[in-house]
Amino acid sequence: MTDRMEKGRAILRQTLGDDYFTKRQASTTDFNRPLRDMTDECCFGEAWAIGPLEPKQCSLLVITMLACLGRVPELRTHLAGAVNNGCSVLEIRHAMMLVAAYAGIPAGVEGFRSAEIILKEKGLLPTD
């Protein structure tokens, strides 16, 4: 295992949590291992670890990009990670407003919808 992969896995675990990491490790197969190794090493071990941005800032950037691209399952995963990395409800809301302004209202609507689901799950917004 490379140093970048080890560092990436540590950042992944910190960002997405122990439960997510443990389930991910348990569901790794010979088929999906190459992709998971690549994300561990390249995404988290390189792009996230390169600095000078802190994990909180990386999370805000990632959730805005995923919302802009309409990658909803990954967006929801990274919204939970953004909370784990210290992003506040107001910061997440601001990020989704930027998505709506720059990527279009439909992307912003889905970003808000996803954020509300995750923020309610985390106990940060009242449930209906």
Side-chain angles (χ1 to χ4, degrees), residues 6-33:
E6 282 185 47
K7 185 165 189 128
R9 287 186 177 153
I11 293 169
L12 175 83
R13 181 177 226 139
Q14 171 194 330
T15 299
L16 300 179
D18 288 333
D19 287 344
Y20 178 92
F21 187 82
T22 300
K23 287 176 187 173
R24 184 177 184 266
Q25 291 296 95
S27 68
T28 299
T29 65
D30 289 339
F31 181 76
N32 66 26
R33 185 180 327 288

Side-chain angles (χ1 to χ4, degrees), residues 42-61:
C42 297
C43 296
F44 289 96
E46 183 65 28
W48 279 66
I50 195 171
L53 299 179
E54 297 296 321
K56 179 179 175 178
Q57 295 166 313
C58 290
S59 282
L60 286 170
L61 288 169

Side-chain angles (χ1 to χ4, degrees), residues 104-115:
I105 297 298
V109 168
E110 186 54 52
F112 265 87
R113 185 177 292 128
S114 293

